[in-house]
Amino acid sequence: MDSVFNIDIREHIPNNPLLYQPPSYDSLLYRRKSSTVGSKRRSSSRGRFGSFSSVKSGGSTIKRQDDIEKSLLEQRAVRELAKSMKEKRAVRDQRSLKAQDLSDWGQWRRNARRCLKRLKDNAEDRLSSLKLWRSDIRQIEARFGTGILSYFSFLRFLVVLNLVIFLLMFCFIMLPIIIIPYTSANITQNNQDHGSVCSVYPSSTRLGLVIFHEHITDLLSGGGFLEQTYLFYGFYKVDKIQYPNGTYNLALAYLLATIAYLLVSLIWIVKRSATGFKQNLVKDEDSFQCFCNKIFSGWDFCITNEKVADLKRSSLLYELRTDLEEERMKQEKAKRTRKDKVQIYSLRLILNVFVMAVLAACFYSIYLATTFSQEQQRKQVKVNFIMDLIHEYLPSIVITLANFITPLLFSVIINFEDYSPAFEIRFTLIRCVFMRLTSIGVLLFSLWSQITNCGDEPCLCGYNTALYSCWETRVGQEMYKLTVFDFIIIVAVTILVEFPRKLIVTYWKSGLSDWWGEQEFAIPQNVLEIVYGQTICWIGAFYCPVLPAICTIKYFLIFYVKKLSLIQNCRPSTRPFRASSSNFFFLGVLLIGLSLACVPVTVSVAQINSSRACGPFVNYNTSWEALTASVMELPHGAQTFLYALSSEAFAVSFFVVSCLAMFYVIALAGAHKRVISQLKEQLVMVGSLQHLQV
Amino acid sequence: MGATASQLDTGKLSEYEELTFLTKQEILLAYDRFDKLVPKEEKNRIDYRVPMEDILELPELKFNPFKERICKVFSTSDKKDGSLDFDDFLDFLSAFSDSATLEIKSHYAFHIFDFDDDGTLDRQDLKKLINCLTGKADKTSLTPDEMRMLIDNILEESDIDQDGTVNLSEFQHVISRSPDFVSSFQIVL
């Protein structure tokens, strides 16, 4: 009966020689290697629910694989087996019985290994309990899910990053100056061209009777008594320090510390995003496996609150419906006629032009505000306390207003552009990111134009000495003001907007409270806020070495403010933000901020003449010259090596080699994809054969 | 804690540490919580089985749509009634701890989602799963058309050998490429 049955079927099977070949040596090797995977699965399936049949391997490899499996089982920790506690105990007793057969040396080795493992586990445990805010973040995770959790762990990361940057600046720049009185050291004062107009730096400390509110103005704007302190670049008017043991080149240290903190930030961010990036690179995240991800990993098992569970259910429903609609839209899109396409594209073009016009208007207003503010400060026009502050803070105010209005505008416009829902969210976010980070760029550009513009004739000292005797300090003050204002706004919005909103919605039921609704914790906007603050910190750290410490304290306080706001005022957002893609999104935006921050720092270090009246680079034309001057002092061999590294020949060949490496890797990835699809087809065929034979 | 903590001596503690992914503190906390569920007269029995209804009252499981499945999967009782003794309870917490491997989590997730315990996820299992995730009180929230389209899409993405069901290997393959799974499949006491 079986043979008849088999012969009938075989006639219908397509003649694939691959399926009839006995296992080749290569496939035997492959099976042996994959027996690590296979035996895992087999052992786990035999554990609790041993009802599946595993694919039997042929011939003499069975016995060998049993041996391998046994030895592999021994190598894996008992707790990694998916068995019940009773079965795990049995396996462990079996292993220890077997281990008693080993020699004393073998037993001692096993015990040593186990002790080391236990020590390592204990150490890891203790280290993770030292992590900042561990219990707070666990609390947030339980109530609000993993999307919001990622925002708070991102905040924690920034606190630690800023602390590290500050330690870097402190150890290499501030500490040598602080310990001068305690060691008998000489300062090599910068050679000043006495009498030259470039090196005049009037003191900005207020003399005579100082009104109290002027102190507050100084504190908030970084001027007055704060200007000539450790806070700003201008204070570090030291070139070299002669210690009893050696010479410390502070100018070079300042430059190298700047480069170091940018590099440290870059490496740390890239390392943190490496895991998320690998998964996102596989395929466009939103369309790859999106349904399986939502169904199998959709439920947050750490939810302990009934309201949150209901919300999670409705948000999952919403997400699934959105995805199904996207599928439907994709099918509809394919059916679009030519006329429809032309209509939609022209509409999109008009709207994009409109968006650009709005952005240009915002940037121009920032430029105007900056120039006006600088003029007012220069003229020293004192109207009264409040107006003075407004004049000082005008650029920050304009930037904040623009950053508040434009996202609302963008979310209205995107409705007309007829994109798929996922793309809508992404595109709006990209526009908001662009707006936020470019506004800083515009501010710096307007400052730069003020600094290097001396009217009609070329600048005497390379920069506008009449307005800025120490332009780096002025830029540092602007960055300081932006940071302070950002912090004030975040706290003010929480206290003055979100808290009353909660009160109104809870206690005063009316049309207003229905329309406004409860506050949602909008993750993207909050993330953009803190990335904006971090970009300012990176730019400002060169001009204001204490700024990273200020930012550390700022983010530390923002954590508690946001946590309070979250727990008291907010409900979880109805549109969930996936944890994994959020990590990648946060770090991606942070990287954009970092690359943007590098541009002004590079331009000011390499292009603009450093101040003659203040700072460590008085003896040099530009700050970069400090490095080239020290390179000249190196031994000849090192010099030629460094010159070779920076020559065009090296750069071109390095570029060509990296292009070749990239092409190779891309080709390899393409080949792997082809192999995967071939293996999938083979699986389908084998599966259908099995079904037919059964 | 008092008198009950002495029942969990250091020997047993280190044994549990070795056999699960939990730390000492987590095991002690679990013992404390489990002990609260044991009625007074049974406190001296080592292998007392807490009935399913009491386990389902734990705040960590109360609002979880898979709570019955979890109890059934981790229970080693002969009567298959979902009751858990302390060993089962630790197994459950170990699988859901943050140091458990992806393989353990995906193995238990598969069995939790396998509502009819036949070893594969067929259309009925997936339908029940979707209803758990989106429905309120046994009511389906999706229309039959949407449900059908959704299940078709899931099978398209995960069923490699195209036999209409998702077996353990296919499930583990899909989970290995799902970046959210490990962080969402966690329970902390």
Side-chain angles (χ1 to χ4, degrees):
Chain A
M1 167 65 181
D2 271 10
S3 52
V4 170
F5 196 69
N6 277 340
I7 291 172
D8 273 351
I9 298 304
R10 284 236 173 105
E11 282 175 359
H12 295 292
I13 293 171
N15 199 13
N16 189 343
L18 203 66
L19 294 172
Y20 291 114
Q21 277 177 5
S24 64
Y25 180 67
D26 288 309
S27 63
L28 280 180
L29 275 181
Y30 173 72
R31 280 227 204 92
R32 205 175 298 156
K33 246 189 279 180
S34 68
S35 71
T36 55
V37 178
S39 68
K40 272 188 210 173
R41 266 188 254 132
R42 252 175 272 137
S43 65
S44 63
S45 63
R46 264 188 228 130
R48 223 179 252 266
F49 301 90
S51 55
F52 323 130
S53 58
S54 38
V55 176
K56 286 242 159 57
S57 50
S60 59
T61 51
I62 287 184
K63 188 158 176 288
R64 227 200 221 141
Q65 283 201 344
D66 279 332
D67 287 347
I68 296 172
E69 183 190 332
K70 279 203 197 112
S71 57
L72 283 169
L73 265 178
E74 282 177 2
Q75 282 170 22
R76 290 184 57 215
V78 184
R79 62 184 177 185
E80 289 179 23
L81 303 171
K83 300 179 189 224
S84 69
M85 192 75 82
K86 223 172 38 174
E87 290 161 1
K88 281 194 266 193
R89 275 204 195 102
V91 167
R92 189 200 49 175
D93 294 335
Q94 213 180 29
R95 279 193 202 177
S96 53
L97 265 174
K98 221 177 170 210
Q100 278 168 14
D101 296 339
L102 287 172
S103 64
D104 285 326
W105 169 249
Q107 274 196 17
W108 183 88
R109 229 179 41 187
R110 276 191 82 236
N111 285 335
R113 214 183 299 155
R114 218 184 314 159
C115 278
L116 270 171
K117 192 165 187 308
R118 213 173 291 172
L119 273 171
K120 199 178 93 160
D121 283 340
N122 274 342
E124 268 176 21
D125 205 27
R126 229 160 266 152
L127 228 87
S128 72
S129 67
L130 280 176
K131 251 186 172 178
L132 190 62
W133 293 319
R134 192 158 179 249
S135 53
D136 291 290
I137 290 191
R138 275 258 162 93
Q139 209 184 356
I140 294 172
E141 184 179 8
R143 266 191 70 174
F144 290 96
T146 42
I148 292 186
L149 167 78
S150 49
Y151 168 80
F152 282 94
S153 54
F154 181 63
L155 199 53
R156 176 173 62 183
F157 164 64
L158 283 181
V159 168
V160 178
L161 179 69
N162 278 320
L163 193 64
V164 166
I165 294 178
F166 173 64
L167 283 175
L168 206 66
M169 302 293 266
F170 181 76
C171 294
F172 290 104
I173 302 177
M174 292 185 231
L175 199 61
I177 296 187
I178 293 175
I179 63 174
I180 285 177
Y182 303 102
T183 60
S184 48
N186 287 325
I187 307 178
T188 316
Q189 274 291 7
N190 290 317
N191 298 328
Q192 304 178 21
D193 315 304
H194 289 285
S196 158
V197 67
C198 298
S199 54
V200 167
Y201 189 18
S203 163
S204 56
T205 41
R206 299 175 191 273
L207 304 163
L209 199 62
V210 182
I211 314 175
F212 179 68
H213 71 68
E214 287 186 354
H215 279 304
I216 306 227
T217 318
D218 288 344
L219 194 67
L220 290 176
S221 67
F225 73 92
L226 277 182
E227 189 165 330
Q228 306 225 6
T229 55
Y230 280 106
L231 194 59
F232 294 114
Y233 170 99
F235 182 76
Y236 300 92
K237 204 172 166 185
V238 174
D239 189 13
K240 293 191 177 61
I241 305 178
Q242 296 272 49
Y243 289 113
N245 304 344
T247 326
Y248 187 77
N249 191 342
L250 188 78
L252 185 65
Y254 201 100
L255 192 64
L256 289 180
T258 309
I259 299 176
Y261 83 69
L262 288 172
L263 272 178
V264 162
S265 312
L266 178 69
I267 294 173
W268 202 344
I269 296 174
V270 168
K271 199 162 103 61
R272 237 180 111 93
S273 62
T275 37
F277 191 60
K278 263 187 247 167
Q279 267 134 5
N280 276 302
L281 203 57
V282 172
K283 220 179 176 189
D284 176 27
E285 227 253 27
D286 255 8
S287 62
F288 180 62
Q289 265 186 210
C290 67
F291 286 103
C292 281
N293 281 344
K294 289 202 180 80
I295 297 293
F296 293 142
S297 347
W299 185 263
D300 253 335
F301 278 74
C302 39
I303 291 179
T304 54
N305 189 319
E306 185 175 11
K307 262 201 301 191
V308 178
D310 283 336
L311 210 71
K312 182 82 188 176
R313 261 189 267 254
S314 41
S315 73
L316 264 173
L317 188 61
Y318 173 84
E319 264 206 72
L320 288 171
R321 285 222 168 104
T322 319
D323 282 338
L324 286 173
E325 194 185 304
E326 240 182 270
E327 288 274 318
R328 248 194 307 252
M329 274 186 82
K330 268 193 214 158
Q331 291 169 0
E332 264 181 37
K333 234 188 185 176
K335 294 189 214 147
R336 261 198 212 143
T337 62
R338 204 156 181 185
K339 182 167 166 252
D340 285 336
K341 276 193 194 163
V342 165
Q343 225 178 3
I344 289 203
Y345 285 147
S346 50
L347 183 64
R348 282 187 194 165
L349 188 67
I350 295 174
L351 286 174
N352 273 315
V353 166
F354 177 64
V355 162
M356 302 264 198
V358 165
L359 286 176
C362 288
F363 294 153
Y364 188 61
S365 50
I366 295 174
Y367 176 77
L368 282 180
T370 316
T371 38
F372 179 71
S373 165
Q374 296 289 316
E375 261 186 53
Q376 295 294 87
Q377 284 174 41
R378 200 190 337 140
K379 285 191 205 148
Q380 306 255 333
V381 175
K382 302 265 182 239
V383 180
N384 63 42
F385 174 50
I386 301 290
M387 285 305 288
D388 285 345
L389 265 184
I390 291 184
H391 286 156
E392 294 261 4
Y393 274 88
L394 200 59
S396 322
I397 295 174
V398 172
I399 290 180
T400 309
L401 271 176
N403 285 329
F404 178 70
I405 297 174
T406 41
L408 299 170
L409 198 65
F410 292 154
S411 49
V412 166
I413 288 180
I414 201 98
N415 287 329
F416 297 108
E417 284 181 304
D418 198 24
Y419 289 118
S420 64
F423 189 70
E424 264 184 27
I425 301 175
R426 274 227 196 110
F427 201 42
T428 320
L429 272 175
I430 291 175
R431 281 180 174 154
C432 292
V433 167
F434 181 68
M435 173 68 214
R436 279 234 182 215
L437 298 179
T438 326
S439 53
I440 307 178
V442 171
L443 174 75
L444 290 169
F445 175 76
S446 36
L447 273 178
W448 175 78
S449 64
Q450 292 259 298
I451 291 170
T452 50
N453 180 15
C454 304
D456 293 324
E457 50 323 313
C459 286
L460 196 60
C461 317
Y463 56 93
N464 196 336
T465 332
L467 307 177
Y468 306 100
S469 41
C470 190
W471 63 267
E472 284 102 341
T473 304
R474 182 59 62 83
V475 176
Q477 281 170 336
E478 288 297 323
M479 297 294 116
Y480 174 81
K481 277 188 270 190
L482 278 177
T483 308
V484 169
F485 191 69
D486 190 38
F487 178 62
I488 292 176
I489 286 288
I490 290 178
V491 174
V493 164
T494 309
I495 297 178
L496 299 175
V497 175
E498 292 183 6
F499 194 54
R501 180 174 176 174
K502 166 83 178 184
L503 288 175
I504 290 176
V505 170
T506 322
Y507 296 118
W508 183 33
K509 305 280 181 210
S510 73
L512 174 68
S513 59
D514 285 336
W515 169 76
W516 208 3
E518 245 187 288
Q519 175 81 27
E520 265 182 30
F521 195 85
I523 297 178
Q525 302 305 332
N526 280 302
V527 167
L528 283 180
E529 245 173 28
I530 56 181
V531 168
Y532 167 77
Q534 184 59 39
T535 310
I536 297 176
C537 175
W538 274 322
I539 298 175
F542 177 70
Y543 307 103
C544 173
V546 183
L547 196 63
I550 298 175
C551 281
T552 307
I553 301 174
K554 172 182 156 194
Y555 286 136
F556 193 82
L557 294 172
I558 286 180
F559 182 91
Y560 288 107
V561 168
K562 287 286 173 186
K563 179 171 170 236
L564 194 68
S565 155
L566 182 70
I567 293 179
Q568 299 292 347
N569 304 340
C570 296
R571 58 166 180 165
S573 100
T574 43
R575 245 199 296 200
F577 210 70
R578 269 203 300 273
S580 62
S581 64
S582 33
N583 267 326
F584 183 61
F585 164 67
F586 299 166
L587 295 167
V589 176
L590 201 61
L591 268 179
I592 296 177
L594 179 63
S595 36
L596 187 83
C598 285
V599 171
V601 175
T602 322
V603 164
S604 63
V605 160
Q607 285 281 79
I608 310 181
N609 287 9
S610 49
S611 296
R612 288 299 160 80
C614 58
F617 301 110
V618 168
N619 292 337
Y620 307 101
N621 274 331
T622 64
S623 315
W624 184 253
E625 267 188 32
L627 186 65
T628 44
S630 342
V631 164
M632 304 270 207
E633 290 168 23
L634 286 175
H636 188 70
Q639 263 190 52
T640 22
F641 176 66
L642 285 172
Y643 282 145
L645 272 185
S646 58
S647 64
E648 290 96 7
F650 179 76
V652 166
S653 35
F654 184 70
F655 179 68
V656 166
V657 167
S658 10
C659 278
L660 283 175
M662 203 170 62
F663 283 135
Y664 169 71
V665 168
I666 292 175
L668 201 63
H672 281 159
K673 277 195 196 144
R674 272 197 297 276
V675 168
I676 288 175
S677 53
Q678 277 175 2
L679 284 174
K680 276 198 180 152
E681 284 171 28
Q682 236 184 331
L683 259 174
V684 174
M685 238 184 306
V686 169
S688 61
L689 274 178
Q690 269 194 328
H691 273 259
L692 292 173
Q693 278 180 4
V694 164
Chain B
M1 291 274 254
T4 53
S6 61
Q7 290 192 19
L8 199 62
D9 54 18
T10 29
K12 263 206 168 281
L13 199 61
S14 42
E15 186 198 34
Y16 282 138
E17 236 191 322
E18 194 188 334
L19 295 178
T20 65
F21 288 100
L22 304 169
T23 61
K24 277 200 173 70
Q25 287 91 340
E26 287 169 348
I27 297 173
L28 287 171
L29 184 61
Y31 188 78
D32 200 27
R33 298 289 295 276
F34 190 79
D35 201 55
K36 292 204 175 81
L37 297 170
V38 174
K40 250 203 169 86
E41 35 314 335
E42 310 278 4
K43 280 220 196 275
N44 289 323
R45 271 180 59 190
I46 302 175
D47 54 351
Y48 175 71
R49 290 190 160 278
V50 176
M52 186 161 81
E53 304 79 46
D54 294 339
I55 299 277
L56 296 184
E57 288 299 311
L58 280 174
E60 286 82 12
L61 284 181
K62 202 159 176 198
F63 303 111
N64 196 316
F66 302 108
K67 50 191 180 198
E68 289 98 0
R69 282 300 305 161
I70 289 176
C71 288
K72 292 253 169 64
V73 162
F74 285 98
S75 163
T76 51
S77 105
D78 306 313
K79 284 180 276 186
K80 304 265 180 254
D81 58 358
S83 57
L84 300 180
D85 64 4
F86 186 57
D87 283 352
D88 297 335
F89 191 62
L90 282 185
D91 270 335
F92 153 61
L93 289 174
S94 165
F96 278 93
S97 81
D98 50 9
S99 18
T101 57
L102 179 68
E103 198 204 312
I104 290 271
K105 284 186 194 275
S106 54
H107 178 267
Y108 283 114
F110 182 77
H111 291 296
I112 290 174
F113 295 152
D114 188 9
F115 285 84
D116 48 13
D117 270 332
D118 63 354
T120 58
L121 300 180
D122 52 13
R123 291 189 86 100
Q124 284 306 313
D125 289 326
L126 290 174
K127 187 162 176 203
K128 286 208 194 104
L129 176 59
I130 295 170
N131 281 336
C132 272
L133 289 175
T134 58
K136 299 176 193 197
D138 301 326
K139 216 173 28 144
T140 317
S141 304
L142 291 171
T143 67
D145 253 347
E146 286 173 337
M147 183 70 82
R148 189 186 42 84
M149 244 173 74
L150 191 52
I151 296 182
D152 285 340
N153 275 314
I154 294 175
L155 287 176
E156 192 188 308
E157 286 171 2
S158 54
D159 190 9
I160 300 178
D161 60 5
Q162 297 186 1
D163 58 355
T165 63
V166 182
N167 62 26
L168 179 62
S169 341
E170 289 162 350
F171 184 79
Q172 282 182 325
H173 178 77
V174 164
I175 291 295
S176 69
R177 305 178 111 174
S178 169
D180 292 318
F181 180 73
V182 176
S183 52
S184 59
F185 204 74
Q186 270 187 33
I187 292 181
V188 181
L189 278 183

